[in-house]
Amino acid sequence: MAKKKQTKAHDEMSFLDHLEELRWHLIRSVLAVVIIGIVAFVFSEFVFDVIIFGPKSMDFPTYRMFCNIATSIGVESDFCKDELPFTIQSRTMGGQFSADIWTAIWVGFVVGFPYVLWELWKFISPGLHPNERKHSRGFILIASILFFMGVLFGYYVVAPLSINFLGTYQVSEQVLNEFDIGSYISAVRTSVIACGVMFELPIIIYFLTKVGLVTPEIMKKYRKIALVIVLILSAVITPPDVTSQIIVAIPVLVLYQVSIFISKMVMKREAKKDGKLMKNA
């Protein structure tokens, strides 16, 4: 009874009331990001030395894994070097402070992503039908798991591949690789956030299918175009070598196939629902 009253009250809210409610959800989300960001700022030494600069060290797990694979098959590899031939520097007065602040904010967003999703869901869910809310249970958990899987993939696969390739690339021995701290952090951040967003593809397809914008037939029809788009995206967030692009493209293509399956399940569920409505009519 209380849920019905709550839904009815939500439906009777004016446009300005909805904006006011959205404003408070956004405020709470921003506060969560800021609080986590402050914690990250306090422990900035750990965040930078262990996490941000982790892919710069040749002791990074990804490099060790590729080095062991290359050694086992008797092939020389750049992943077996003692250190990467580049340095990171700050060329502006406020460069390090600015990098510290923005990194703390991004850490706050990544770590606080489930809470941000929860606030978004609290705003959207009252406008859904009871059956839609029932079938959407686990949305925050699944979306968060996919996001963190993408973040880990970006951090342990895409970021080290990009850093290793770009950090060792030289047009001439006379040109030294001395990267600005902002450029280095941007490479790591782009790899991590882009992969986190890409791994949300099944969730996006689920909702697009629910509103009728996407069908399994459309996804199958444009599969080849999707493959090209995936390869382009892979080229954008990875170094321009074929191996790295393929490594990034494979999980995205798998997610695309999973999204087709999810779209089919949603269509079947909607068809059953329409069948029941026809019988009741």
Side-chain angles (χ1 to χ4, degrees):
M1 188 72 177
K3 288 185 178 179
K4 289 183 179 179
K5 288 182 179 179
Q6 184 179 358
T7 305
K8 185 177 180 182
H10 187 274
D11 293 338
E12 293 175 352
M13 290 173 63
S14 66
F15 177 72
L16 291 178
D17 290 335
H18 280 290
L19 285 181
E20 178 66 15
E21 186 178 354
L22 176 60
R23 185 172 74 92
W24 281 107
H25 286 297
L26 291 175
I27 289 174
R28 286 192 291 268
S29 298
V30 171
L31 280 176
V33 171
V34 170
I35 291 171
I36 298 172
I38 291 172
V39 175
F41 184 80
V42 172
F43 294 96
S44 60
E45 185 175 350
F46 172 82
V47 171
F48 277 89
D49 290 345
V50 178
I51 299 176
I52 302 298
F53 295 141
K56 182 181 178 295
S57 171
M58 292 309 296
D59 289 332
F60 197 67
T62 306
Y63 300 143
R64 292 204 304 266
M65 181 185 70
F66 281 114
C67 178
N68 292 334
I69 293 173
T71 303
S72 64
I73 60 178
V75 176
E76 292 185 5
S77 173
D78 288 338
F79 295 108
C80 296
K81 292 181 177 180
D82 293 331
E83 61 180 12
L84 290 172
F86 69 85
T87 58
I88 299 174
Q89 59 183 347
S90 177
R91 295 177 296 174
T92 60
M93 286 292 292
Q96 295 196 52
F97 180 73
S98 177
D100 201 359
I101 292 293
W102 281 106
T103 299
I105 291 173
W106 280 107
V107 170
F109 173 75
V110 171
V111 176
F113 183 77
Y115 181 80
V116 174
L117 269 185
W118 184 64
E119 285 292 345
L120 177 64
W121 180 248
K122 281 176 64 180
F123 176 71
I124 295 175
S125 59
L128 300 177
H129 294 293
N131 286 337
E132 290 175 332
R133 285 198 297 272
K134 180 182 177 182
H135 292 307
S136 299
R137 285 176 182 173
F139 159 73
I140 297 172
L141 177 63
I142 295 172
S144 298
I145 290 173
L146 287 173
F147 179 75
F148 287 126
M149 285 175 61
V151 166
L152 291 174
F153 181 78
Y155 181 71
Y156 282 104
V157 179
V158 180
L161 287 177
S162 301
I163 291 168
N164 184 274
F165 178 83
L166 298 174
T168 57
Y169 189 87
Q170 285 182 293
V171 294
S172 170
E173 291 185 358
Q174 300 181 48
V175 182
L176 300 178
N177 282 331
E178 297 177 346
F179 304 132
D180 186 73
I181 186 172
S183 176
Y184 175 86
I185 293 174
S186 177
V188 176
R189 182 181 64 240
T190 301
S191 301
V192 169
I193 300 298
C195 288
V197 173
M198 282 199 301
F199 271 59
E200 294 293 331
L201 181 62
I203 298 293
I204 296 171
I205 294 300
Y206 173 83
F207 285 105
L208 289 179
T209 304
K210 287 285 290 183
V211 299
L213 294 177
V214 172
T215 64
E217 290 72 24
I218 291 176
M219 295 187 69
K220 289 178 182 178
K221 181 180 178 181
Y222 295 103
R223 196 196 311 255
K224 292 181 179 179
I225 297 176
L227 173 61
V228 174
I229 294 173
V230 167
L231 291 175
I232 292 173
L233 288 174
S234 301
V236 170
I237 65 173
T238 60
D241 64 287
V242 178
T243 304
S244 301
Q245 292 175 18
I246 291 174
I247 290 174
V248 174
I250 288 174
V252 180
L253 291 175
V254 171
L255 287 170
Y256 189 84
Q257 289 299 124
V258 172
S259 299
I260 293 177
F261 174 75
I262 291 173
S263 185
K264 284 182 180 179
M265 296 297 293
V266 174
M267 292 295 290
K268 286 181 181 180
R269 188 178 294 167
E270 292 297 318
K272 286 182 181 180
K273 187 190 298 182
D274 292 341
K276 289 180 180 179
L277 290 174
M278 290 292 291
K279 286 181 181 179
N280 292 333

